[in-house]
Amino acid sequence: MWYRYLLRLLVMLGYSGALCAQPTPVFQTLTAQEGLAQNSVLAAVQDQRGFMWLGTQDGLTRYDGSQCRTFRNDPQRPGSLSSNFILSLTEDHTGTLWVGTGGGGVCRYSPLTGRFQVVQKSEPDTTGLADNFVRALLTDQRGRVWVGTEGGLHYWNAQAQRFRRLPPIGNGPGRDNSIRALAATPNGQLWIGTGAGQVAWLDTAQQRLHPLPSFRGASPITVLAAGPAGTLWVGTEANGVYQLTTTGTVLHTYQATAGGLATNSIRALCLAPDGRLWIGTATGLSFLQPGTQQITTVRQQPGQPLSLPSDAIQSITLDRLGMLWVGTDKGVARCDSRPPAFGSVPIGAPVGIWAVLEAPDGAVWAGTESRGLVRYHPATGQRQEFRYEARNPGSLSQDYVRALCLDRAGRLWVGTQNQGLDCLEPGSRQFRHFRHQPANPASLGDDFIRALYEDSRGRIWVGTEGGLSQYTPATGQFRHFRHDPGNAASLGNNFVRVMLEDRQRDILWIGTGGGGLNCLDMRTGRFRAYRANARDPRSLSSNFVRSILQDHAGHLWVGTEGGGLCRLDDAQKGRFTVFREPQGLPNDVVYGLLEDPQQYLWLSTNKGLARLAPATGQVLTFDQHAGLLQDEYNAGAAHRGQDGVLYFGGVNGLVAFRPAAIRPNTFVPPVVLTGLRRLNQPIDLPDTSITERRTLRLTPQDYVFTLEFAALNYRQPEKNRYAYLLEGFDPDWVPTGARHEATYSNLDPGTYTFRVRATNNDGLWNPVGAVLRIVVDPPWYHTWWFRIGLSWVVFAVLFLLYRLRVRQLLALEQVRHGIARDLHDDMGSTLSSISILSQIARTHQRQHRPEQAAAVLEQIGDSSRRMLDAMDDIVWAINPAHDGLDDVTARMRRLASEVLESAGIEFTFRADAALQSLRFDMRARREFFLLFKEAINNLVKYARCQHAAITLEYRQGRLLLTVQDDGVGFDPAAPAQGGGNGLTNMRTRAEALHGQLTIQSAPGKGTTLRLSIPMG
């Protein structure tokens, strides 16, 4: 299964154990299901920023390793693509992306604005483009953009902003000028391939194309690739691949043969830095090894997710990291153009491996789950199987092999699943069998073998499901160590999984399944157990021990099941340092432990391999995407060969590799912002794309926004890791793991700086990352202009309140003055007259003139009554309880009743109900009432009427007072009766009320007084 597409052959040269693997590349595929515009990928290019652009038959996709953004034609959106059928792509030196379409001409994409400028053939000719079907695009060393169309070759004139078409090659049929392919040699020479099978070069001095006279293909040229030393690779539609010199000499021809190309239909060519030529055909992906002229073809493996998605190759592109992008009709697949460093031993059909070792002669022994014991010699490629044969008592006891050990005498010890221990003497094919015999205490302790180990004295230690057995070859007897519940110094558990002799020679470390890590003092036979303690973080992390390693410095490392990796720091106190998934391990089950020549530790787990640097704690992880045969491994199946080759057995076979061949990714990935969302809805900025923007201004409506980002590393991009920081908000960097976005909400107005940094798949950080200045605008009520305006408003309000208060004080002062004036004028004069009249009355009394004294006393009484009335008017006027017009109306009614009825005048008094809601201030109330009082007094004194009518109305914001009588009337132009100031006082009071006073009267026709004053 997996080995068929991950590895063709592993070759070990001689006894050195050197690996010369030539495995099939491991592919990761991007399809429409993951966001690709459409699965037929016809063109690809990587831009200056690191984005991958993928042209399909239904749109253009920008890929950042995490997500896709698709561009399509939209007639309703200015600046969109002219056509969704993308045939070719290139980027010029300014960073502009050129898109060649099938029928839509050329589109120029500006990364600054995120818009396309369309250049199409037009009538009359304004663009210089001869045809809208653009098959080829190329940017030369001078930065000029060349466009190959069905109508000829063009280049872009940047000054004139139009294309210039070169003269046609000849006057033949249209295919002579159908430019299908473009390439440029390292010296800058431009080459073109036509639909007529011609290859031509550009004479830059004459600006003319010169075809190679000695070469003409029998079918159209589909693709060109310029090689080193002036060679040219030519792919054709039906005649394979040619290697030419620049003079047209054919150096090699590669066509469909048994050991050559799968088909002659060539779709794509790409030269890798290691010299391999990748060839895309209609029936598979081939590569030509440099110097050997050998062609290897890679095809789709149905059901295998890491194989090619399809054999119909349509484009091949190499990015700056050396990743190969293969466009097919079922998506784009990427792989490392370098051969994978991980190989495998060809055991045979996929099978679980539980034990492995390398013999001194370079042969590899593998214990399998169902195929017995396999011996493979890389020098000869020979493979031998040792299986159980029912009729052969000297055959292997069982096909399920769990443990292997090669002792110093060359004997191979084989532990089986449940059929005991076997021994194969050097050069023999017959096994000796050791079984548990209950009646023989010197026999094997248990038939379920789980581990085998030879110590420095040549003794064989056997770990079983029934305890630990020690076999001494000289005596042929077994000694047993088992768990004794009554003996604390006995073996902690009978399920023995692994053994290792300490370099102190007399100590044997034993890992058990549930009894923790045990230490056996081989001199005394006493055990000490190290167990997990949930209350002690420095204790052993799990009691299920699967692997043990003592490194070059003497440190003991313990791989556990479920507890990760432990390092014994203090044997006396039982203190450990633990490495688990939070510290970078891919999984907490550590099946195998090996130290490589560079002193790195290698761990096999349920999720691939891990490499730990003990000095720094840095962990690198490797899985099937890195070329491994499998991700799940088995306990006990780990071995370091004599030349540093590491072997790990798993559920599908045996992985073998040289650690020095593992090349960490040293590419520092550029970090870019890729998207902006507001309230989780994508936003297209109107002027500058988020990738190019340096400052982002947010409104108060943007109270929840999300920034998306990516590290443009395409070698296992799922392992890229991110951290971000919003200066002014976040106290420290926020690690996000593989999540590539950051969301903020309800930021206070102000200026912030957003920073994001990332690692590549091997944990190498880009410390600079991407930076974006964010300005959060305050709401209008928090802006400086609003605050200034508000301060002026507050000042104005305070000033108005001050003016109002001053006005009130002035009004109060005027009232006080008025009251003082009234008191002085009315009360003072009246009291003075009373005082004078009192003296006169006293004089009359002394002179015994009673009639005169009585008349004077009568005057004193009248003056007192008038003074009381005036005093009552003043007190009533200044009382705020009488501000309502209903109180004024009631006092007016009462006054009219007292005065008119006493004079024998019948009257009517009518007031609107709407008057109850109106209010008078103190001054207006006094002026209004006194005017009314003056009118009533004048009516009584001079009208000589029988009837009077008083009306109060409220109309259109004005108060209307009407006093009407049927008396004698008067001539308004004649002098006032009695020589008083009644009319003058009323008009003065009306003016104080800002009202209008009219008096209509004539002799014998009565009098009508109308007063209209504004209210409110």
Side-chain angles (χ1 to χ4, degrees), residues 514-534:
L517 175 67
N518 286 246
C519 174
L520 171 63
D521 187 332
M522 291 187 287
R523 294 170 300 182
T524 64
R526 296 177 62 84
F527 290 86
R528 176 185 176 183
Y530 299 87
R531 290 188 173 88
N533 184 351

Side-chain angles (χ1 to χ4, degrees), residues 631-675:
D631 285 345
E632 184 178 343
Y633 293 84
N634 291 326
H639 178 76
R640 173 177 166 176
Q642 57 189 345
D643 201 29
V645 177
L646 302 187
Y647 301 90
F648 288 99
V651 295
N652 286 320
L654 180 59
V655 171
F657 64 95
R658 187 178 298 280
I662 306 299
R663 297 176 290 272
N665 186 359
T666 59
F667 175 71
V668 178
V671 184
V672 294
L673 298 173
T674 59

Side-chain angles (χ1 to χ4, degrees), residues 106-167:
V106 178
C107 300
R108 303 171 62 208
Y109 174 78
S110 169
L112 184 65
T113 63
R115 292 173 174 263
F116 293 89
Q117 177 190 358
V118 179
V119 184
Q120 292 179 313
K121 178 184 178 181
S122 62
E123 296 292 345
D125 184 11
T126 59
T127 65
L129 195 63
D131 190 89
N132 286 331
F133 208 84
V134 181
R135 289 185 180 273
L137 286 170
L138 179 91
T139 302
D140 65 17
Q141 292 179 349
R142 296 170 55 187
R144 286 192 300 182
V145 176
W146 295 89
V147 178
T149 73
E150 289 296 300
L153 180 66
H154 312 68
Y155 71 88
W156 178 251
N157 189 323
Q159 293 182 346
Q161 288 293 292
R162 59 175 285 131
F163 285 105
R164 179 179 175 185
R165 183 185 178 193
L166 271 65

Side-chain angles (χ1 to χ4, degrees), residues 695-761:
T695 299
L696 176 65
R697 186 173 292 274
L698 299 175
T699 67
Q701 288 72 35
D702 303 325
Y703 56 88
V704 177
F705 69 95
T706 300
L707 288 169
E708 300 171 354
F709 38 81
L712 302 182
N713 164 62
Y714 302 104
R715 182 172 290 163
Q716 297 181 268
E718 65 278 1
K719 292 185 178 181
N720 296 343
R721 295 295 180 263
Y722 301 89
Y724 63 82
L725 170 70
L726 186 63
E727 293 180 356
F729 182 82
D730 292 324
D732 203 353
W733 287 91
V734 180
T736 66
R739 187 167 56 88
H740 45 86
E741 63 179 35
T743 299
Y744 290 94
S745 61
N746 298 316
L747 288 180
D748 293 332
T751 300
Y752 304 86
T753 300
F754 179 77
R755 301 182 184 275
V756 56
R757 59 187 185 183
T759 71
N760 64 12
N761 58 299

Side-chain angles (χ1 to χ4, degrees), residues 88 97 150 463 524 601 614 648 671 683 685 731 798 817 824 829 909:
S88 52
L97 182 72
E150 289 296 300
T524 64
L601 299 186
F648 288 99
V671 184
I683 298 175
L685 299 174
L798 293 176
H817 281 293
H824 179 271
S829 60
F909 193 103

Side-chain angles (χ1 to χ4, degrees), residues 539-736:
S539 69
L540 188 69
S541 60
S542 171
N543 287 326
F544 292 83
V545 176
R546 287 293 191 175
S547 53
I548 305 174
L549 170 74
Q550 190 171 32
D551 65 18
H552 69 283
H555 297 123
L556 191 72
W557 298 83
V558 182
T560 73
E561 183 174 338
L565 178 66
C566 299
R567 183 186 64 208
L568 180 60
D569 297 328
D570 190 327
Q572 295 298 322
K573 297 181 179 179
R575 299 174 69 86
F576 293 83
T577 297
V578 181
F579 300 83
R580 303 187 66 173
E581 290 183 20
Q583 286 73 45
L585 295 188
N587 183 245
D588 281 341
V589 177
V590 180
Y591 288 126
L593 270 175
L594 297 175
E595 184 180 31
D596 69 16
Q598 290 76 39
Q599 299 175 0
Y600 290 111
L601 299 186
W602 288 84
L603 294 67
S604 62
T605 74
N606 278 327
K607 292 185 178 179
L609 301 181
R611 191 190 78 175
L612 170 68
T616 64
Q618 182 188 27
V619 178
L620 299 183
T621 61
F622 306 90
D623 54 22
Q624 291 182 3
H625 296 102
L628 284 172
L629 182 67
Q630 67 241 327
D631 285 345
E632 184 178 343
Y633 293 84
N634 291 326
H639 178 76
R640 173 177 166 176
Q642 57 189 345
D643 201 29
V645 177
L646 302 187
Y647 301 90
F648 288 99
V651 295
N652 286 320
L654 180 59
V655 171
F657 64 95
R658 187 178 298 280
I662 306 299
R663 297 176 290 272
N665 186 359
T666 59
F667 175 71
V668 178
V671 184
V672 294
L673 298 173
T674 59
L676 171 66
R677 301 200 309 270
R678 179 176 61 193
L679 297 175
N680 211 31
Q681 296 300 315
I683 298 175
D684 284 330
L685 299 174
D687 51 356
T688 307
S689 68
I690 190 65
T691 302
E692 303 298 324
R693 187 177 286 267
R694 295 295 173 262
T695 299
L696 176 65
R697 186 173 292 274
L698 299 175
T699 67
Q701 288 72 35
D702 303 325
Y703 56 88
V704 177
F705 69 95
T706 300
L707 288 169
E708 300 171 354
F709 38 81
L712 302 182
N713 164 62
Y714 302 104
R715 182 172 290 163
Q716 297 181 268
E718 65 278 1
K719 292 185 178 181
N720 296 343
R721 295 295 180 263
Y722 301 89
Y724 63 82
L725 170 70
L726 186 63
E727 293 180 356
F729 182 82
D730 292 324
D732 203 353
W733 287 91
V734 180
T736 66

